Amino acid sequence: MTVSRKPRSLPDEQKLRLWGVGWALALTFGAAVLAAGGTLYGLVVLLDFQKIDTTAKLDAKTLFDLVKLSFGVVAGAGALVALVVAYRRQRVDEAGAHREATRLHTERFSQAVDKLGSDSPAVRLGGVHALAGLADDAPDDSLRQTCIDVLCAYLQLPFTPDPGTDPAHQEEHHRYLAFRKVRHTILRLIGDHYRRPKGTHRSWQGCDLDLTGVTIDDDLDFDGAEFSGGTVSFDGATFSRGAVSFDGATFSGGTLDFDSATFDSDVYFEGATFSGGTVSFRVATFSGGNVSFDDATFADGDVYFHSATFADGNVSFDEATFSGSDVSFDDARFSGSDVSFDLATFADGNVSFSGARFSGSDVSFDDATFAGSDVYFSGATFSGGNVSLHGAEFSDGALAFGSATFSGGVLSFDVATFCGSDVSFNSATFSGGAVHFDDATFADEALSFRDATFSGGTTYFDGATFSDDALSFRNATFSGGALSFRDATGPAPQGLLTAVGTPPPAWVALPAAWLPSAP
Protein backbone atom coordinates (compact mmCIF):
# COMPACT_ATOMS: atom_id res chain seq x y z
CA MET A 1 0.00 0.00 0.00
CA THR A 2 1.26 3.46 -0.85
CA VAL A 3 0.70 6.19 1.66
CA SER A 4 -2.15 8.42 0.52
CA ARG A 5 -2.73 11.82 1.99
CA LYS A 6 -4.49 15.05 1.23
CA PRO A 7 -2.51 17.39 -1.00
CA ARG A 8 -0.68 20.06 0.90
CA SER A 9 -0.39 23.62 -0.35
CA LEU A 10 2.95 24.31 -1.96
CA PRO A 11 5.04 27.36 -1.06
CA ASP A 12 4.50 29.03 -4.45
CA GLU A 13 0.75 28.71 -3.92
CA GLN A 14 0.91 30.84 -0.77
CA LYS A 15 0.59 34.15 -2.61
CA LEU A 16 0.07 37.47 -0.88
CA ARG A 17 -3.52 38.62 -1.24
CA LEU A 18 -4.28 42.27 -0.32
CA TRP A 19 -7.22 44.50 -1.10
CA GLY A 20 -6.72 47.70 -3.09
CA VAL A 21 -5.83 50.83 -1.10
CA GLY A 22 -9.12 52.53 -1.99
CA TRP A 23 -11.22 49.62 -0.83
CA ALA A 24 -9.15 49.23 2.34
CA LEU A 25 -9.48 52.94 3.22
CA ALA A 26 -13.19 53.00 2.43
CA LEU A 27 -13.79 49.97 4.61
CA THR A 28 -11.67 51.43 7.41
CA PHE A 29 -13.45 54.82 7.32
CA GLY A 30 -16.83 53.12 7.21
CA ALA A 31 -15.95 51.03 10.24
CA ALA A 32 -14.69 54.16 12.07
CA VAL A 33 -17.90 56.12 11.30
CA LEU A 34 -20.06 53.24 12.49
CA ALA A 35 -18.00 52.93 15.66
CA ALA A 36 -18.22 56.71 16.33
CA GLY A 37 -21.95 56.80 15.64
CA GLY A 38 -22.53 53.83 17.90
CA THR A 39 -20.49 55.42 20.67
CA LEU A 40 -22.38 58.75 20.38
CA TYR A 41 -25.73 56.99 20.43
CA GLY A 42 -24.66 54.99 23.45
CA LEU A 43 -23.62 58.13 25.32
CA VAL A 44 -26.93 59.86 24.50
CA VAL A 45 -28.87 56.89 25.84
CA LEU A 46 -26.59 56.49 28.86
CA LEU A 47 -26.73 60.19 29.85
CA ASP A 48 -30.47 60.37 29.15
CA PHE A 49 -30.41 63.50 26.95
CA GLN A 50 -33.97 64.60 26.14
CA LYS A 51 -33.37 67.43 23.65
CA ILE A 52 -30.74 69.82 22.31
CA ASP A 53 -31.06 73.58 23.01
CA THR A 54 -31.53 75.21 19.58
CA THR A 55 -31.58 78.79 20.99
CA ALA A 56 -28.00 78.80 22.23
CA LYS A 57 -25.63 81.09 20.39
CA LEU A 58 -22.20 80.14 19.04
CA ASP A 59 -19.65 81.66 21.43
CA ALA A 60 -15.85 81.70 21.15
CA LYS A 61 -15.38 78.67 23.39
CA THR A 62 -17.78 76.56 21.37
CA LEU A 63 -16.12 77.68 18.15
CA PHE A 64 -12.72 76.72 19.55
CA ASP A 65 -14.03 73.30 20.55
CA LEU A 66 -15.38 72.74 17.04
CA VAL A 67 -12.01 73.66 15.55
CA LYS A 68 -10.27 71.18 17.85
CA LEU A 69 -12.82 68.54 16.90
CA SER A 70 -12.18 69.19 13.21
CA PHE A 71 -8.45 68.83 13.64
CA GLY A 72 -9.05 65.65 15.68
CA VAL A 73 -11.14 64.19 12.88
CA VAL A 74 -8.42 65.02 10.35
CA ALA A 75 -5.75 63.56 12.63
CA GLY A 76 -7.82 60.42 13.18
CA ALA A 77 -8.29 60.01 9.47
CA GLY A 78 -4.56 60.35 8.95
CA ALA A 79 -3.94 57.78 11.67
CA LEU A 80 -6.34 55.39 9.97
CA VAL A 81 -4.52 55.85 6.66
CA ALA A 82 -1.20 55.26 8.39
CA LEU A 83 -2.60 52.16 10.07
CA VAL A 84 -3.80 50.70 6.77
CA VAL A 85 -0.49 51.44 5.07
CA ALA A 86 1.47 49.96 7.99
CA TYR A 87 -0.66 46.84 7.96
CA ARG A 88 -0.10 46.37 4.22
CA ARG A 89 3.62 46.98 4.61
CA GLN A 90 3.75 44.38 7.42
CA ARG A 91 1.97 41.84 5.25
CA VAL A 92 4.31 42.50 2.36
CA ASP A 93 7.34 42.19 4.67
CA GLU A 94 6.03 38.89 6.08
CA ALA A 95 5.41 37.53 2.61
CA GLY A 96 8.89 38.62 1.56
CA ALA A 97 10.40 36.99 4.66
CA HIS A 98 8.53 33.77 3.89
CA ARG A 99 9.74 33.81 0.31
CA GLU A 100 13.29 34.41 1.48
CA ALA A 101 13.03 31.62 4.07
CA THR A 102 11.63 29.30 1.40
CA ARG A 103 14.43 30.24 -1.00
CA LEU A 104 17.09 29.55 1.63
CA HIS A 105 15.36 26.30 2.58
CA THR A 106 15.31 25.22 -1.06
CA GLU A 107 19.01 25.96 -1.47
CA ARG A 108 19.90 24.04 1.69
CA PHE A 109 17.56 21.23 0.65
CA SER A 110 19.31 20.88 -2.71
CA GLN A 111 22.70 20.77 -1.03
CA ALA A 112 21.53 18.14 1.48
CA VAL A 113 20.05 15.95 -1.26
CA ASP A 114 23.31 16.20 -3.22
CA LYS A 115 25.12 14.90 -0.14
CA LEU A 116 22.81 11.88 0.00
CA GLY A 117 24.02 10.92 -3.46
CA SER A 118 27.69 11.05 -2.49
CA ASP A 119 29.92 7.99 -2.69
CA SER A 120 31.28 8.82 0.74
CA PRO A 121 29.29 7.39 3.68
CA ALA A 122 30.45 10.27 5.89
CA VAL A 123 29.07 12.83 3.42
CA ARG A 124 25.79 10.92 3.27
CA LEU A 125 25.56 11.02 7.05
CA GLY A 126 25.99 14.77 6.87
CA GLY A 127 23.19 14.95 4.31
CA VAL A 128 20.90 12.90 6.57
CA HIS A 129 21.43 15.21 9.53
CA ALA A 130 21.06 18.25 7.27
CA LEU A 131 17.69 17.03 5.99
CA ALA A 132 16.51 16.28 9.54
CA GLY A 133 17.51 19.79 10.58
CA LEU A 134 15.73 21.27 7.58
CA ALA A 135 12.57 19.37 8.53
CA ASP A 136 12.81 20.84 12.04
CA ASP A 137 13.22 24.41 10.75
CA ALA A 138 10.92 24.21 7.71
CA PRO A 139 8.79 27.34 7.17
CA ASP A 140 5.65 25.26 6.65
CA ASP A 141 4.31 21.70 6.98
CA SER A 142 4.62 21.00 3.26
CA LEU A 143 8.37 21.61 3.24
CA ARG A 144 8.76 19.56 6.42
CA GLN A 145 6.89 16.65 4.84
CA THR A 146 9.10 16.87 1.75
CA CYS A 147 12.25 16.43 3.86
CA ILE A 148 10.72 13.45 5.67
CA ASP A 149 9.64 11.91 2.38
CA VAL A 150 13.21 12.11 1.05
CA LEU A 151 14.60 10.37 4.14
CA CYS A 152 11.95 7.64 3.84
CA ALA A 153 12.68 7.29 0.12
CA TYR A 154 16.38 6.77 0.90
CA LEU A 155 15.42 3.84 3.13
CA GLN A 156 13.37 2.40 0.27
CA LEU A 157 16.29 2.41 -2.15
CA PRO A 158 17.76 -1.03 -2.94
CA PHE A 159 21.18 -1.76 -1.48
CA THR A 160 23.86 -4.35 -2.04
CA PRO A 161 23.63 -7.13 0.56
CA ASP A 162 26.46 -7.91 2.93
CA PRO A 163 29.15 -9.89 1.03
CA GLY A 164 30.27 -11.49 4.30
CA THR A 165 33.49 -11.34 6.30
CA ASP A 166 35.60 -13.21 3.76
CA PRO A 167 38.99 -11.38 3.58
CA ALA A 168 38.66 -11.37 -0.20
CA HIS A 169 35.61 -9.09 0.17
CA GLN A 170 36.79 -7.08 3.17
CA GLU A 171 36.53 -3.72 1.40
CA GLU A 172 32.97 -4.43 0.18
CA HIS A 173 32.03 -5.61 3.66
CA HIS A 174 33.30 -2.41 5.26
CA ARG A 175 31.50 -0.34 2.65
CA TYR A 176 28.26 -2.24 3.36
CA LEU A 177 28.61 -1.57 7.09
CA ALA A 178 29.28 2.13 6.45
CA PHE A 179 26.19 2.60 4.31
CA ARG A 180 24.12 0.52 6.72
CA LYS A 181 25.09 3.07 9.36
CA VAL A 182 23.45 5.74 7.23
CA ARG A 183 20.17 3.79 7.14
CA HIS A 184 20.31 3.13 10.87
CA THR A 185 20.85 6.84 11.52
CA ILE A 186 17.68 7.67 9.58
CA LEU A 187 15.71 5.10 11.59
CA ARG A 188 17.04 6.56 14.84
CA LEU A 189 16.19 10.12 13.79
CA ILE A 190 12.66 9.10 12.78
CA GLY A 191 12.06 7.55 16.19
CA ASP A 192 13.64 10.50 18.04
CA HIS A 193 11.48 13.04 16.24
CA TYR A 194 8.27 11.03 16.43
CA ARG A 195 8.57 10.64 20.20
CA ARG A 196 8.57 14.39 20.76
CA PRO A 197 5.18 15.85 21.80
CA LYS A 198 3.13 17.19 18.95
CA GLY A 199 3.47 20.93 18.47
CA THR A 200 6.92 21.20 20.01
CA HIS A 201 10.10 22.00 18.13
CA ARG A 202 11.58 19.05 16.21
CA SER A 203 8.38 17.02 16.53
CA TRP A 204 7.30 15.05 13.45
CA GLN A 205 4.08 13.75 14.95
CA GLY A 206 1.20 14.17 12.55
CA CYS A 207 3.48 13.81 9.53
CA ASP A 208 3.32 10.85 7.17
CA LEU A 209 6.00 8.16 7.25
CA ASP A 210 6.12 6.05 4.11
CA LEU A 211 8.37 3.09 4.99
CA THR A 212 6.82 0.80 2.39
CA GLY A 213 9.14 -2.07 1.49
CA VAL A 214 11.88 -0.86 3.82
CA THR A 215 14.26 -3.32 5.47
CA ILE A 216 14.33 -2.67 9.22
CA ASP A 217 17.57 -4.21 10.49
CA ASP A 218 18.07 -2.03 13.56
CA ASP A 219 16.06 -0.78 16.55
CA LEU A 220 13.25 1.70 15.84
CA ASP A 221 11.84 3.36 18.93
CA PHE A 222 8.35 4.94 19.00
CA ASP A 223 7.92 4.64 22.78
CA GLY A 224 5.33 7.10 24.06
CA ALA A 225 4.63 8.50 20.59
CA GLU A 226 1.15 9.78 19.76
CA PHE A 227 -0.40 8.83 16.43
CA SER A 228 -3.24 11.31 16.05
CA GLY A 229 -2.89 12.20 12.40
CA GLY A 230 -1.03 11.22 9.28
CA THR A 231 -0.27 7.71 8.09
CA VAL A 232 2.65 5.50 9.08
CA SER A 233 3.12 2.69 6.58
CA PHE A 234 5.34 -0.38 6.90
CA ASP A 235 3.58 -2.18 4.04
CA GLY A 236 5.82 -4.90 2.64
CA ALA A 237 8.59 -4.00 5.07
CA THR A 238 11.03 -6.63 6.32
CA PHE A 239 11.96 -6.72 10.02
CA SER A 240 15.14 -8.76 10.03
CA ARG A 241 17.08 -7.48 13.04
CA GLY A 242 16.63 -5.29 16.08
CA ALA A 243 13.26 -4.39 17.57
CA VAL A 244 10.51 -1.91 16.74
CA SER A 245 8.88 -0.58 19.89
CA PHE A 246 5.59 1.27 20.30
CA ASP A 247 5.53 0.86 24.10
CA GLY A 248 3.19 3.40 25.69
CA ALA A 249 2.21 4.84 22.31
CA THR A 250 -1.23 6.37 21.78
CA PHE A 251 -3.30 5.78 18.65
CA SER A 252 -6.20 8.24 18.43
CA GLY A 253 -6.90 8.68 14.76
CA GLY A 254 -3.70 7.91 12.92
CA THR A 255 -3.20 4.84 10.76
CA LEU A 256 -0.41 2.30 11.16
CA ASP A 257 -0.05 -0.27 8.37
CA PHE A 258 2.11 -3.42 8.31
CA ASP A 259 0.32 -4.98 5.35
CA SER A 260 2.40 -7.72 3.65
CA ALA A 261 5.29 -7.06 6.03
CA THR A 262 7.74 -9.83 7.04
CA PHE A 263 8.78 -10.13 10.69
CA ASP A 264 12.05 -11.81 11.61
CA SER A 265 12.57 -9.42 14.53
CA ASP A 266 10.40 -8.03 17.31
CA VAL A 267 7.68 -5.37 17.42
CA TYR A 268 6.41 -4.15 20.79
CA PHE A 269 3.16 -2.31 21.58
CA GLU A 270 3.34 -2.96 25.32
CA GLY A 271 1.17 -0.55 27.29
CA ALA A 272 0.02 1.22 24.13
CA THR A 273 -3.40 2.88 23.94
CA PHE A 274 -5.61 2.61 20.84
CA SER A 275 -8.57 5.01 20.85
CA GLY A 276 -9.77 5.34 17.30
CA GLY A 277 -6.60 4.48 15.41
CA THR A 278 -6.08 1.41 13.26
CA VAL A 279 -3.17 -1.03 13.25
CA SER A 280 -3.09 -3.35 10.25
CA PHE A 281 -0.95 -6.48 9.67
CA ARG A 282 -2.85 -7.71 6.60
CA VAL A 283 -0.99 -10.43 4.65
CA ALA A 284 1.97 -10.02 6.99
CA THR A 285 4.38 -12.92 7.56
CA PHE A 286 5.75 -13.74 11.02
CA SER A 287 8.73 -16.02 10.53
CA GLY A 288 10.85 -15.40 13.60
CA GLY A 289 10.00 -12.14 15.31
CA ASN A 290 7.63 -11.43 18.18
CA VAL A 291 4.78 -8.90 18.25
CA SER A 292 3.70 -7.86 21.72
CA PHE A 293 0.56 -5.95 22.73
CA ASP A 294 0.93 -6.82 26.43
CA ASP A 295 -1.06 -4.46 28.71
CA ALA A 296 -2.25 -2.48 25.69
CA THR A 297 -5.66 -0.78 25.78
CA PHE A 298 -7.95 -0.82 22.75
CA ALA A 299 -10.81 1.69 22.99
CA ASP A 300 -12.44 1.76 19.56
CA GLY A 301 -9.10 1.12 17.85
CA ASP A 302 -8.94 -1.95 15.61
CA VAL A 303 -6.16 -4.45 14.89
CA TYR A 304 -6.20 -6.45 11.64
CA PHE A 305 -4.19 -9.59 10.84
CA HIS A 306 -6.21 -10.52 7.72
CA SER A 307 -4.53 -13.36 5.77
CA ALA A 308 -1.37 -13.03 7.88
CA THR A 309 0.98 -16.01 8.12
CA PHE A 310 2.41 -17.08 11.49
CA ALA A 311 5.26 -19.50 10.85
CA ASP A 312 7.44 -18.74 13.85
CA GLY A 313 7.75 -16.22 16.66
CA ASN A 314 4.94 -15.03 18.91
CA VAL A 315 2.12 -12.48 19.01
CA SER A 316 1.11 -11.54 22.53
CA PHE A 317 -1.94 -9.65 23.81
CA ASP A 318 -1.47 -10.74 27.44
CA GLU A 319 -3.47 -8.58 29.90
CA ALA A 320 -4.60 -6.33 27.04
CA THR A 321 -7.96 -4.55 27.35
CA PHE A 322 -10.37 -4.40 24.40
CA SER A 323 -13.26 -1.99 24.90
CA GLY A 324 -15.40 -1.70 21.80
CA SER A 325 -12.48 -2.70 19.56
CA ASP A 326 -12.20 -5.37 16.90
CA VAL A 327 -9.27 -7.76 16.45
CA SER A 328 -9.33 -9.73 13.23
CA PHE A 329 -7.30 -12.80 12.23
CA ASP A 330 -9.61 -13.71 9.33
CA ASP A 331 -8.03 -16.18 6.89
CA ALA A 332 -4.77 -16.10 8.86
CA ARG A 333 -2.40 -19.09 8.76
CA PHE A 334 -0.94 -20.43 12.02
CA SER A 335 1.76 -22.96 11.27
CA GLY A 336 4.30 -22.38 14.03
CA SER A 337 3.84 -19.05 15.82
CA ASP A 338 2.04 -18.71 19.14
CA VAL A 339 -0.69 -16.12 19.75
CA SER A 340 -1.55 -15.33 23.35
CA PHE A 341 -4.50 -13.42 24.86
CA ASP A 342 -3.91 -14.65 28.43
CA LEU A 343 -5.71 -12.55 31.07
CA ALA A 344 -7.02 -10.23 28.35
CA THR A 345 -10.35 -8.46 28.80
CA PHE A 346 -12.87 -8.14 25.96
CA ALA A 347 -15.78 -5.76 26.51
CA ASP A 348 -18.18 -5.28 23.58
CA GLY A 349 -15.56 -5.68 20.84
CA ASN A 350 -15.15 -8.64 18.50
CA VAL A 351 -12.33 -11.12 17.93
CA SER A 352 -12.51 -12.96 14.64
CA PHE A 353 -10.58 -16.01 13.41
CA SER A 354 -13.06 -16.73 10.61
CA GLY A 355 -11.49 -18.89 7.92
CA ALA A 356 -8.21 -19.16 9.88
CA ARG A 357 -6.02 -22.26 9.51
CA PHE A 358 -4.41 -23.76 12.62
CA SER A 359 -1.82 -26.36 11.65
CA GLY A 360 0.87 -26.09 14.29
CA SER A 361 0.53 -22.93 16.37
CA ASP A 362 -0.81 -22.46 19.88
CA VAL A 363 -3.51 -19.81 20.44
CA SER A 364 -4.23 -19.08 24.08
CA PHE A 365 -7.07 -17.20 25.79
CA ASP A 366 -6.30 -18.61 29.25
CA ASP A 367 -8.13 -16.77 32.06
CA ALA A 368 -9.42 -14.20 29.57
CA THR A 369 -12.66 -12.36 30.33
CA PHE A 370 -15.36 -11.94 27.68
CA ALA A 371 -18.07 -9.50 28.78
CA GLY A 372 -20.37 -8.78 25.89
CA SER A 373 -17.78 -9.57 23.21
CA ASP A 374 -18.14 -11.99 20.33
CA VAL A 375 -15.40 -14.42 19.28
CA TYR A 376 -15.67 -16.07 15.87
CA PHE A 377 -13.90 -19.18 14.57
CA SER A 378 -16.47 -19.65 11.82
CA GLY A 379 -15.13 -21.80 9.01
CA ALA A 380 -11.78 -22.20 10.75
CA THR A 381 -9.71 -25.36 10.24
CA PHE A 382 -7.92 -27.04 13.15
CA SER A 383 -5.41 -29.60 11.93
CA GLY A 384 -2.67 -29.18 14.55
CA GLY A 385 -1.54 -27.04 17.44
CA ASN A 386 -3.67 -26.04 20.40
CA VAL A 387 -6.35 -23.45 21.06
CA SER A 388 -6.80 -22.93 24.78
CA LEU A 389 -9.49 -21.02 26.68
CA HIS A 390 -8.55 -22.55 30.03
CA GLY A 391 -10.26 -20.72 32.86
CA ALA A 392 -11.87 -18.18 30.53
CA GLU A 393 -15.05 -16.43 31.66
CA PHE A 394 -17.90 -15.76 29.23
CA SER A 395 -20.70 -13.44 30.29
CA ASP A 396 -22.94 -12.39 27.42
CA GLY A 397 -21.62 -12.24 23.91
CA ALA A 398 -21.04 -15.30 21.73
CA LEU A 399 -18.34 -17.80 20.84
CA ALA A 400 -18.96 -19.30 17.40
CA PHE A 401 -17.26 -22.28 15.73
CA GLY A 402 -19.92 -22.63 13.05
CA SER A 403 -18.83 -24.87 10.12
CA ALA A 404 -15.37 -25.23 11.66
CA THR A 405 -13.35 -28.37 10.87
CA PHE A 406 -11.42 -30.26 13.56
CA SER A 407 -8.98 -32.84 12.21
CA GLY A 408 -6.12 -32.45 14.67
CA GLY A 409 -4.81 -30.45 17.59
CA VAL A 410 -6.59 -29.64 20.84
CA LEU A 411 -9.34 -27.12 21.64
CA SER A 412 -9.62 -26.66 25.39
CA PHE A 413 -12.25 -24.94 27.53
CA ASP A 414 -11.13 -26.59 30.77
CA VAL A 415 -12.43 -24.83 33.91
CA ALA A 416 -14.10 -22.19 31.72
CA THR A 417 -17.29 -20.49 32.93
CA PHE A 418 -20.23 -19.78 30.62
CA CYS A 419 -22.89 -17.53 32.13
CA GLY A 420 -25.26 -16.00 29.64
CA SER A 421 -22.94 -16.50 26.68
CA ASP A 422 -23.68 -18.64 23.67
CA VAL A 423 -21.07 -21.10 22.39
CA SER A 424 -21.88 -22.60 19.04
CA PHE A 425 -20.33 -25.50 17.09
CA ASN A 426 -23.27 -25.66 14.69
CA SER A 427 -22.48 -27.64 11.51
CA ALA A 428 -18.91 -28.20 12.70
CA THR A 429 -17.03 -31.33 11.62
CA PHE A 430 -14.99 -33.38 14.11
CA SER A 431 -12.77 -35.94 12.38
CA GLY A 432 -9.70 -35.82 14.63
CA GLY A 433 -8.04 -33.90 17.42
CA ALA A 434 -9.67 -33.23 20.77
CA VAL A 435 -12.10 -30.72 22.30
CA HIS A 436 -12.04 -30.35 26.09
CA PHE A 437 -14.66 -28.82 28.39
CA ASP A 438 -13.37 -30.53 31.55
CA ASP A 439 -14.72 -28.98 34.76
CA ALA A 440 -16.42 -26.21 32.78
CA THR A 441 -19.62 -24.57 34.05
CA PHE A 442 -22.57 -23.92 31.72
CA ALA A 443 -25.61 -21.80 32.50
CA ASP A 444 -28.43 -20.23 30.49
CA GLU A 445 -28.31 -22.32 27.30
CA ALA A 446 -24.69 -21.68 26.55
CA LEU A 447 -23.40 -24.42 24.24
CA SER A 448 -24.70 -25.79 20.95
CA PHE A 449 -23.48 -28.60 18.67
CA ARG A 450 -26.55 -28.52 16.42
CA ASP A 451 -26.00 -30.27 13.08
CA ALA A 452 -22.38 -31.05 14.03
CA THR A 453 -20.71 -34.18 12.66
CA PHE A 454 -18.46 -36.36 14.85
CA SER A 455 -16.51 -38.96 12.86
CA GLY A 456 -13.28 -39.02 14.84
CA GLY A 457 -11.28 -37.24 17.50
CA THR A 458 -12.31 -36.82 21.12
CA THR A 459 -14.63 -34.41 22.90
CA TYR A 460 -14.47 -34.23 26.71
CA PHE A 461 -16.94 -32.73 29.18
CA ASP A 462 -15.55 -34.59 32.19
CA GLY A 463 -16.59 -32.95 35.44
CA ALA A 464 -18.60 -30.25 33.63
CA THR A 465 -21.65 -28.69 35.26
CA PHE A 466 -24.83 -28.08 33.23
CA SER A 467 -27.96 -26.14 34.07
CA ASP A 468 -31.30 -26.63 32.33
CA ASP A 469 -31.06 -26.57 28.52
CA ALA A 470 -27.45 -25.43 28.69
CA LEU A 471 -26.11 -27.81 26.03
CA SER A 472 -27.67 -28.98 22.78
CA PHE A 473 -26.70 -31.78 20.36
CA ARG A 474 -29.87 -31.58 18.26
CA ASN A 475 -29.42 -33.18 14.83
CA ALA A 476 -25.77 -33.95 15.59
CA THR A 477 -24.28 -37.04 13.93
CA PHE A 478 -21.88 -39.44 15.67
CA SER A 479 -20.05 -42.12 13.67
CA GLY A 480 -16.73 -42.40 15.48
CA GLY A 481 -14.27 -40.80 17.87
CA ALA A 482 -14.81 -40.47 21.60
CA LEU A 483 -17.32 -38.44 23.63
CA SER A 484 -17.00 -38.31 27.42
CA PHE A 485 -19.21 -36.78 30.10
CA ARG A 486 -17.64 -38.57 33.06
CA ASP A 487 -18.57 -37.03 36.43
CA ALA A 488 -20.70 -34.39 34.68
CA THR A 489 -23.56 -32.98 36.73
CA GLY A 490 -26.91 -31.50 35.80
CA PRO A 491 -29.49 -32.58 33.19
CA ALA A 492 -28.50 -34.42 30.04
CA PRO A 493 -27.84 -32.15 27.04
CA GLN A 494 -30.70 -31.76 24.59
CA GLY A 495 -30.67 -34.29 21.75
CA LEU A 496 -27.58 -36.12 23.04
CA LEU A 497 -29.23 -39.49 23.70
CA THR A 498 -31.06 -39.30 20.37
CA ALA A 499 -27.81 -38.52 18.57
CA VAL A 500 -25.68 -41.27 20.13
CA GLY A 501 -28.45 -43.82 20.57
CA THR A 502 -29.42 -45.92 23.55
CA PRO A 503 -27.71 -47.77 24.88
CA PRO A 504 -24.80 -45.50 23.99
CA PRO A 505 -21.87 -47.04 22.08
CA ALA A 506 -18.64 -47.89 23.89
CA TRP A 507 -16.92 -44.73 22.75
CA VAL A 508 -19.54 -42.54 24.52
CA ALA A 509 -19.21 -42.20 28.32
CA LEU A 510 -22.30 -40.81 30.07
CA PRO A 511 -23.25 -40.45 33.74
CA ALA A 512 -25.58 -43.20 34.90
CA ALA A 513 -28.23 -40.62 35.81
CA TRP A 514 -28.59 -39.65 32.13
CA LEU A 515 -29.37 -43.20 30.93
CA PRO A 516 -33.02 -44.19 30.41
CA SER A 517 -32.70 -47.18 32.76
CA ALA A 518 -31.79 -44.96 35.67
CA PRO A 519 -34.53 -44.55 38.27
Side-chain angles (χ1 to χ4, degrees):
M1 172 183 146
T2 301
V3 174
S4 60
R5 52 177 178 265
K6 296 181 179 179
R8 303 173 187 264
S9 59
L10 298 175
D12 57 0
E13 295 176 346
Q14 299 174 350
K15 297 179 180 178
L16 182 63
R17 294 171 181 166
L18 294 175
W19 289 356
V21 176
W23 284 103
L25 289 176
L27 180 62
T28 305
F29 276 115
V33 169
L34 290 176
T39 302
L40 177 62
Y41 178 77
L43 289 174
V44 169
V45 174
L46 181 64
L47 298 177
D48 196 24
F49 282 119
Q50 301 298 324
K51 64 179 181 176
I52 298 177
D53 188 1
T54 59
T55 62
K57 295 182 178 180
L58 183 63
D59 55 16
K61 184 177 181 302
T62 303
L63 179 60
F64 183 69
D65 289 341
L66 290 176
V67 172
K68 290 194 298 181
L69 179 60
S70 300
F71 279 104
V73 170
V74 173
L80 287 175
V81 173
L83 179 63
V84 171
V85 173
Y87 167 74
R88 288 171 59 85
R89 182 181 296 112
Q90 178 65 25
R91 289 291 307 277
V92 171
D93 291 343
E94 289 177 354
H98 185 272
R99 285 194 299 271
E100 180 63 18
T102 301
R103 184 185 66 81
L104 293 176
H105 177 93
T106 303
E107 291 179 356
R108 294 172 57 194
F109 176 81
S110 299
Q111 295 171 0
V113 172
D114 288 341
K115 291 181 179 180
L116 281 181
S118 172
D119 290 334
S120 170
V123 175
R124 290 195 184 188
L125 278 174
V128 168
H129 285 283
L131 275 175
L134 282 173
D136 297 337
D137 301 330
D140 54 57
D141 292 339
S142 176
L143 295 176
R144 175 177 295 108
Q145 184 64 59
T146 300
C147 295
I148 297 173
D149 288 344
V150 172
L151 291 174
C152 292
Y154 182 91
L155 293 174
Q156 294 173 339
L157 294 176
F159 58 89
T160 303
D162 187 2
T165 57
D166 189 336
H169 303 288
Q170 185 175 17
E171 183 177 352
E172 291 84 354
H173 175 65
H174 289 168
R175 184 175 179 80
Y176 165 81
L177 294 178
F179 283 118
R180 188 182 69 176
K181 180 65 176 177
V182 178
R183 299 197 310 275
H184 290 180
T185 299
I186 296 176
L187 293 175
R188 178 179 59 80
L189 289 173
I190 288 175
D192 290 345
H193 285 78
Y194 232 88
R195 292 198 307 272
R196 294 181 177 274
K198 190 174 184 178
T200 61
H201 181 57
R202 298 184 64 204
S203 174
W204 293 356
Q205 289 188 15
C207 296
D208 299 327
L209 291 178
D210 186 4
L211 299 174
T212 302
V214 169
T215 297
I216 309 294
D217 54 358
D218 192 36
D219 295 343
L220 182 56
D221 186 0
F222 288 99
D223 290 356
E226 181 178 348
F227 296 84
S228 58
T231 298
V232 179
S233 173
F234 291 91
D235 294 355
T238 300
F239 298 82
S240 59
R241 190 180 293 114
V244 179
S245 176
F246 292 85
D247 292 355
T250 301
F251 299 83
S252 58
T255 300
L256 184 61
D257 289 318
F258 291 87
D259 296 353
S260 302
T262 299
F263 294 86
D264 293 316
S265 62
D266 301 332
V267 181
Y268 298 100
F269 292 86
E270 296 176 357
T273 300
F274 299 82
S275 57
T278 300
V279 181
S280 173
F281 293 85
R282 292 181 175 92
V283 204
T285 300
F286 299 84
S287 58
N290 301 314
V291 180
S292 174
F293 291 87
D294 293 352
D295 298 308
T297 300
F298 296 83
D300 301 321
D302 301 327
V303 183
Y304 297 102
F305 290 87
H306 289 319
S307 302
T309 300
F310 299 84
D312 201 356
N314 303 307
V315 179
S316 175
F317 291 88
D318 292 349
E319 300 187 62
T321 300
F322 299 85
S323 177
S325 299
D326 294 335
V327 180
S328 174
F329 291 87
D330 291 351
D331 298 310
R333 302 292 184 267
F334 298 86
S335 60
S337 296
D338 296 334
V339 181
S340 173
F341 290 88
D342 294 349
L343 296 172
T345 300
F346 299 86
D348 300 324
N350 299 317
V351 181
S352 177
F353 289 86
S354 297
R357 302 291 184 268
F358 299 87
S359 60
S361 298
D362 292 337
V363 179
S364 172
F365 291 86
D366 292 350
D367 299 308
T369 300
F370 298 85
S373 294
D374 297 332
V375 183
Y376 299 98
F377 288 87
S378 304
T381 299
F382 299 83
S383 59
N386 304 310
V387 178
S388 174
L389 292 100
H390 183 93
E393 296 182 6
F394 297 85
S395 57
D396 299 324
L399 178 60
F401 290 85
S403 301
T405 301
F406 298 86
S407 60
V410 177
L411 174 63
S412 173
F413 292 89
D414 295 349
V415 201
T417 300
F418 300 87
C419 182
S421 294
D422 294 328
V423 182
S424 170
F425 289 83
N426 295 338
S427 301
T429 300
F430 298 84
S431 59
V435 181
H436 296 272
F437 289 88
D438 295 349
D439 298 309
T441 300
F442 298 89
D444 302 328
E445 194 172 355
L447 185 59
S448 173
F449 286 88
R450 292 184 177 95
D451 300 307
T453 300
F454 296 82
S455 60
T458 55
T459 306
Y460 298 98
F461 292 89
D462 295 348
T465 301
F466 301 94
S467 63
D468 292 340
D469 300 326
L471 177 59
S472 174
F473 284 88
R474 290 175 180 171
N475 299 322
T477 302
F478 294 87
S479 60
L483 178 64
S484 175
F485 287 87
R486 290 186 178 88
D487 301 319
T489 58
Q494 301 177 36
L496 175 62
L497 297 179
T498 301
V500 301
T502 53
W507 45 270
V508 177
L510 302 178
W514 291 2
L515 298 176
S517 58

